[in-house]
Amino acid sequence: MKIAFFPGCMVDMFYPQVGMAAVEVLERLGCEVELPEEQTCCGQIFLNSGYVEDVKPFARQIVDAYEKYDTIVSLSGSCMYAIMSDYTDILADDPMYRDRHAKMAKNFYEFTDFIVNKLGVTDVHAHFEGKVTYHKSCHLTRLLGVKEPPLKLLEGVHGLELVEMEHADRCCGFGGTFSVKEPEISKEIVDEKCQNIIDSGADAVCGADIACLMNIKGRMERLKEEGKLPRDIQVLHIAEILNS
């Protein structure tokens, strides 16, 4: 099966190893993965800050880059939601792109949802020793409704013991530009998330949205520097575990 891959800017620019892990998993499952040269930022960060008009060129570029594909796999739940839902309003006054976007949006799948519900796979033959807890990111869980696929995939990893943290579906405090505009509140939220991860007894925390994981990892590292982290806890994208 030929698919187009949408990694999202943070994976592309800061965590390329996560994108490479995801591609290797998809290829191992029989997919021919392409990354369109024309692909670019979805513009979500500008949209979150109220610059709606400035997002339109990004939206048109995404449509141009991905509309020819029947299957598009996204590694970012928040970017995917922006493309699928927010673009509907952004392109409402542009009949040509509005209709092309509507057709393209139906072909988007989130990474874990694609593996479980499109390919019908729950065991990717991965092996990871240790206790792992899963952070249920806001956009992926609430807005896209992708709840079970990540858990099914983790349960299928050999050697992995899945443990649930308290309030797993609470925000990590990143919230796009929220963490920049309201850093004090964001810190309190991520502190609660980190404490729940610690209390779970997990050796690692994973998630399916890299922005959340960046926020959690950054706070974990500062807690370690302050001597407030009782043990080392890995922060991993689910693609990295599935490729282990």
Side-chain angles (χ1 to χ4, degrees), residues 195-221:
Q195 190 59 54
N196 288 335
I197 294 167
I198 293 168
D199 293 344
S200 75
D203 305 304
V205 57
C206 82
D209 269 317
I210 197 65
C212 299
L213 296 173
M214 180 185 71
N215 194 42
I216 293 169
K217 184 175 183 179
R219 187 57 185 147
M220 285 284 197
E221 290 175 349

Side-chain angles (χ1 to χ4, degrees), residues 20-199:
M20 289 186 282
V23 169
E24 288 178 7
V25 170
L26 293 169
E27 288 180 337
R28 197 163 67 243
L29 294 175
C31 296
E32 180 185 344
V33 184
E34 292 188 3
L35 180 64
E37 291 186 7
E38 305 87 351
Q39 73 91 28
T40 185
C41 174
C42 70
Q44 181 191 187
I45 189 170
F46 302 101
L47 184 63
N48 289 345
S49 300
Y51 299 103
V52 178
E53 287 299 316
D54 293 320
V55 178
K56 290 183 178 180
F58 291 91
R60 296 187 185 104
Q61 183 73 12
I62 291 294
V63 173
D64 288 340
Y66 285 96
E67 66 175 339
K68 68 179 180 180
Y69 294 96
D70 295 327
T71 304
I72 308 158
V73 176
S74 173
L75 207 53
S76 169
S78 56
C79 293
M80 179 175 163
Y81 183 79
I83 292 170
M84 291 182 64
S85 183
D86 294 333
Y87 279 12
T88 302
D89 293 330
I90 292 169
L91 298 173
D93 60 352
D94 188 335
M96 183 177 71
Y97 275 93
R98 179 191 63 206
D99 295 341
R100 290 164 60 192
H101 164 259
K103 181 179 178 181
M104 180 202 70
K106 296 177 182 178
N107 298 328
F108 258 88
Y109 294 87
E110 186 275 330
F111 175 67
T112 63
D113 185 47
F114 173 74
I115 294 173
V116 172
N117 292 318
K118 184 69 173 178
L119 297 182
V121 175
T122 56
D123 184 350
V124 300
H125 304 294
H127 186 276
F128 186 93
E129 290 290 340
K131 294 181 180 180
V132 176
T133 193
Y134 173 69
H135 165 63
K136 301 176 181 179
S137 54
C138 297
H139 281 81
L140 183 72
T141 305
R142 295 187 181 89
L143 298 182
L144 291 180
V146 178
K147 300 177 181 180
E148 296 302 321
L151 300 176
K152 288 182 178 179
L153 288 168
L154 290 172
E155 289 169 354
V157 175
H158 304 273
L160 185 151
E161 180 184 349
L162 184 61
V163 295
E164 185 168 358
M165 75 175 89
E166 187 175 8
H167 306 308
D169 61 348
R170 283 190 180 176
C171 180
C172 72
F174 183 73
T177 55
F178 173 80
S179 59
V180 177
K181 295 177 180 177
E182 302 289 350
E184 293 84 3
I185 300 175
S186 176
K187 175 183 173 297
E188 293 299 317
I189 297 173
V190 74
D191 275 348
E192 180 186 65
K193 176 62 66 174
C194 289
Q195 190 59 54
N196 288 335
I197 294 167
I198 293 168
D199 293 344

